[in-house]
Amino acid sequence: MSKILFVMTGVDHWTLADGTKHPTGFWAEEVIAPYEALKAAGHEIVVATPGGVVPTVDAGSLSPEVNGGQDGADKAAAALASISEIKNPIRLEDARPADYDAVYYPGGHGPMEDLAGNAVSGRLLADALRSGKPLAVVCHGPAALLAATDADGSNAFAGRKVAAFTNAEEMQAGLGGKAKWLLETRLVEAGVDVQVGEPWAPHVVVDGNLVTGQNPSSSAPLAVELLKKLA
């Protein structure tokens, strides 16, 4: 059995360019799919958030529209409610990569607000990458990579192949034109080699110990790749 650290956003909003606070948090599917796959394989999961706050789910991720109807939405809500680890997170500030066999960052717009500028998270990501242990990040989770800088100021993930929520998807989702900045653009500016797949289709990129997914539908296939690395 392996022990996996889920690092999750601690905020319930994303501040847009006009100062509006868009309600958000983490995206349900991006937690549920990997959680269920990892638990089914017998692994232990620990959730960490900045300050140890209980993470907020993006209500939109529990809607019938993104869950194939009301039955799917009810199933997602029930699955999320059953994850006790989310209700008892540890403080991200107390988490040490050495204590875990893998690290996973789900998305939702929340990481754009807090983890993108969180130095503690940035150091954890850089350490996890260097350790050679599996590191998995999905959708807006790669916003956290922006805070992972080396001693010379360069990004620790510069040159690495990464999938992340794309500018096209942000625009199609209706928030791209309202955002202070776009994830794909910022990652490219940081020197990260963003591999862009078709909008909304599953797209997973594996680069050494780093496994990344582009969007919510990439969560389940990302979990498959993570499990391979834990085998």
Side-chain angles (χ1 to χ4, degrees):
M1 181 180 76
S2 295
K3 191 173 181 181
I4 296 114
L5 180 69
F6 275 40
V7 180
M8 299 176 62
T9 179
V11 299
D12 61 3
H13 67 277
W14 177 33
T15 306
L16 302 178
D18 65 358
T20 302
K21 291 187 176 181
H22 174 71
T24 187
F26 66 87
W27 198 258
E29 181 180 359
E30 295 166 24
V31 171
I32 295 168
Y35 177 89
E36 291 183 341
L38 291 164
K39 291 292 276 192
H43 300 305
E44 178 184 353
I45 290 167
V46 175
V47 172
T49 62
V53 303
V54 176
T56 298
V57 63
D58 187 314
S61 68
L62 294 176
S63 69
E65 291 76 14
V66 300
N67 287 285
Q70 190 59 53
D71 286 349
D74 292 343
K75 183 179 178 182
L80 196 59
S82 72
I83 302 178
S84 60
E85 293 90 342
I86 287 180
K87 301 164 191 171
N88 300 285
I90 67 169
R91 284 167 28 95
L92 176 60
E93 295 80 1
D94 298 331
R96 299 190 312 156
D99 295 337
Y100 301 92
D101 300 293
V103 176
Y104 171 58
Y105 277 66
H109 278 108
M112 299 279 283
E113 183 76 18
D114 61 350
L115 298 180
N118 188 303
V120 172
S121 170
R123 285 192 294 274
L124 186 149
L125 281 163
D127 288 347
L129 184 67
R130 283 192 292 263
S131 74
K133 294 177 182 177
L135 170 60
V137 195
V138 75
C139 200
H140 286 93
L145 307 187
L146 297 170
T149 52
D150 288 327
D152 63 0
S154 64
N155 191 279
F157 290 82
R160 301 302 290 261
K161 291 182 173 62
V162 168
F165 202 69
T166 65
N167 291 353
E169 287 167 322
E170 203 73 83
M171 296 303 291
Q172 290 173 20
L175 287 171
K178 302 175 183 179
K180 288 182 179 178
W181 50 274
L182 297 175
L183 179 56
E184 179 190 335
T185 298
R186 278 284 178 90
L187 288 170
V188 170
E189 289 173 350
V192 179
D193 184 2
V194 180
Q195 305 283 298
V196 177
E198 288 297 316
W200 312 110
H203 179 56
V204 175
V205 173
V206 180
D207 184 352
N209 63 317
L210 180 63
V211 181
T212 51
Q214 180 170 308
N215 45 37
S217 66
S218 304
S219 303
L222 176 141
V224 171
E225 294 299 327
L226 180 55
L227 281 168
K228 288 179 186 176
K229 291 190 173 294
L230 290 168

